Amino acid sequence: MFQNKLTSDEEVIVAKRIREYIIEHQAILDCISELQNHFSPALLVQLLTSVVIICVTAYQLAVEKSSDLLRKFTMASFLFAMSTEMFTFGYQGGHLSHDSMEVATAAYSCPWYTFPTSLKRSLLVIMIRAQQPALLTAGGFTTLSLETFVTIMKASYSFFTVLQEATD
């Protein structure tokens, strides 16, 4: 059976590192909470505005009968930029959520079975706290993720087709 295989010096070092990791993890969670508190309403407005802008720009590109290539290129560039911005929000939000869930896996992957009971409890605290993923939301309405990006693009396309059918 695996019992305390750490020397007392190693135990002190591991305890210190675990304490540092807990403090760092809490600081990160506090930072995410601050980001959420300050930017969540603005992100909601940004997402809603982006849906409208992507839809209207795509519509303008579709119905534009002008042969002005510069204008079409400008609109296409703007459409691409807005889509890229939404993708970036979704990617970063998803990445944050995924990484926050990896904290528990990392804690479990260490040789915890060689630790004394007090250190095992500290690791358990980390794993329990890491079970809830860190999420960024847009006004509490939707979570920023790649799934959200796909939903935004689908909604934009749906509005685009409604506008296009309304003019036909």
Side-chain angles (χ1 to χ4, degrees), residues 75-147:
M75 285 192 292
S77 297
F78 187 62
L79 182 63
F80 177 75
M82 291 302 297
S83 299
T84 302
E85 180 180 89
M86 290 297 95
F87 174 79
T88 303
F89 286 147
Y91 177 79
Q92 294 299 327
H95 191 67
L96 173 68
S97 176
H98 177 266
D99 284 355
S100 72
M101 293 301 290
E102 290 294 311
V103 171
T105 304
Y108 185 76
S109 296
C110 75
W112 57 268
Y113 44 84
T114 64
F115 295 174
T117 305
S118 62
L119 292 180
K120 287 178 186 177
R121 285 188 186 124
S122 295
L123 282 177
L124 185 60
V125 167
I126 292 172
M127 289 188 279
I128 290 171
R129 289 170 77 182
Q131 291 301 309
Q132 183 77 14
L135 302 172
L136 290 177
T137 65
F141 177 70
T142 186
T143 301
L144 295 180
S145 65
L146 288 178
E147 291 81 15

Side-chain angles (χ1 to χ4, degrees), residues 14-32 103 122-123 125-127 129:
V14 170
K16 181 181 177 194
R17 286 184 181 171
I18 290 174
R19 197 174 314 109
E20 289 171 356
Y21 294 149
I22 290 172
I23 291 169
E24 184 176 349
H25 186 239
Q26 186 58 49
I28 291 169
L29 292 176
D30 291 344
C31 182
I32 292 168
V103 171
S122 295
L123 282 177
V125 167
I126 292 172
M127 289 188 279
R129 289 170 77 182

Side-chain angles (χ1 to χ4, degrees), residues 6-17 19 119:
L6 295 177
T7 66
S8 60
D9 289 340
E10 290 172 331
E11 189 176 322
V12 169
I13 291 169
V14 170
K16 181 181 177 194
R17 286 184 181 171
R19 197 174 314 109
L119 292 180

